[in-house]
Amino acid sequence: RVRERNKAKSKGRHTGTGKRRGTANARLPFKVLWMRRIRVLRRLLHKMRDAKKIDKHIYHALYLQSKGNQFKNKRVLLETIHTMKSEQAQVKALADQAEAKKSRARARLAKRSAREQKKTEQ
């Protein structure tokens, strides 16, 4: 009988609200849920840092955010990583563009000053 009942319980029978004696926290502690979640998030962060997909600065920021209960699950953390990486790439692209513009302006100025110098010599 016990084996039959346990088999039924594994399928989810006999576990409704009327059969529960302990609180939800007593049945599956919040701490255990927290530990599972934080371990999953930290494992993902470690993997991505080791694979050079995120740099140490992003890693540190996300590590502290996950410690502070910012991410509900792995999917949300991955979304955040993608947005941070895209923002970082955008900032880098803008900086590169600005640098290219500055170098072109410098070259133009140098060319102009050389032309003026040549003109004054003649």
Side-chain angles (χ1 to χ4, degrees):
R1 272 199 314 250
V2 172
R3 258 184 252 118
E4 280 178 29
R5 189 170 177 84
N6 285 343
K7 197 172 182 182
K9 267 195 165 185
S10 74
K11 292 179 182 175
R13 319 290 192 259
H14 317 292
T15 53
T17 49
K19 290 288 183 182
R20 298 179 194 166
R21 297 284 286 169
T23 62
N25 192 31
R27 292 165 67 85
L28 184 60
F30 302 148
K31 187 175 181 179
V32 170
L33 293 173
W34 165 260
M35 282 171 10
R36 282 182 192 166
R37 191 171 93 214
I38 202 75
R39 283 175 182 167
V40 166
L41 297 178
R42 286 178 177 172
R43 197 176 311 124
L44 177 73
L45 285 172
H46 290 306
K47 264 187 202 166
M48 291 193 90
R49 183 189 57 186
D50 293 342
K52 302 276 191 272
K53 291 193 176 169
I54 56 175
D55 63 351
K56 64 181 182 181
H57 303 291
I58 290 179
Y59 167 83
H60 186 66
L62 292 174
Y63 188 94
L64 291 179
Q65 282 181 2
S66 59
K67 182 178 193 268
N69 198 20
Q70 287 283 314
F71 306 114
K72 181 181 180 179
N73 54 35
K74 193 168 148 181
R75 181 177 51 81
V76 177
L77 176 59
L78 277 170
E79 284 173 10
T80 308
I81 288 171
H82 292 313
T83 55
M84 282 180 93
K85 281 178 73 174
S86 66
E87 279 176 21
Q88 201 176 40
Q90 200 173 17
V91 167
K92 189 179 186 306
L94 286 172
D96 290 346
Q97 283 177 1
E99 183 56 42
K101 196 173 179 182
K102 281 181 185 174
S103 65
R104 280 199 306 270
R106 272 192 233 107
R108 203 168 45 240
L109 255 170
K111 197 174 177 184
R112 186 175 177 186
S113 63
R115 216 179 315 127
E116 286 176 2
Q117 215 172 33
K118 194 175 182 184
K119 206 174 193 182
T120 55
E121 286 175 7
Q122 287 177 354

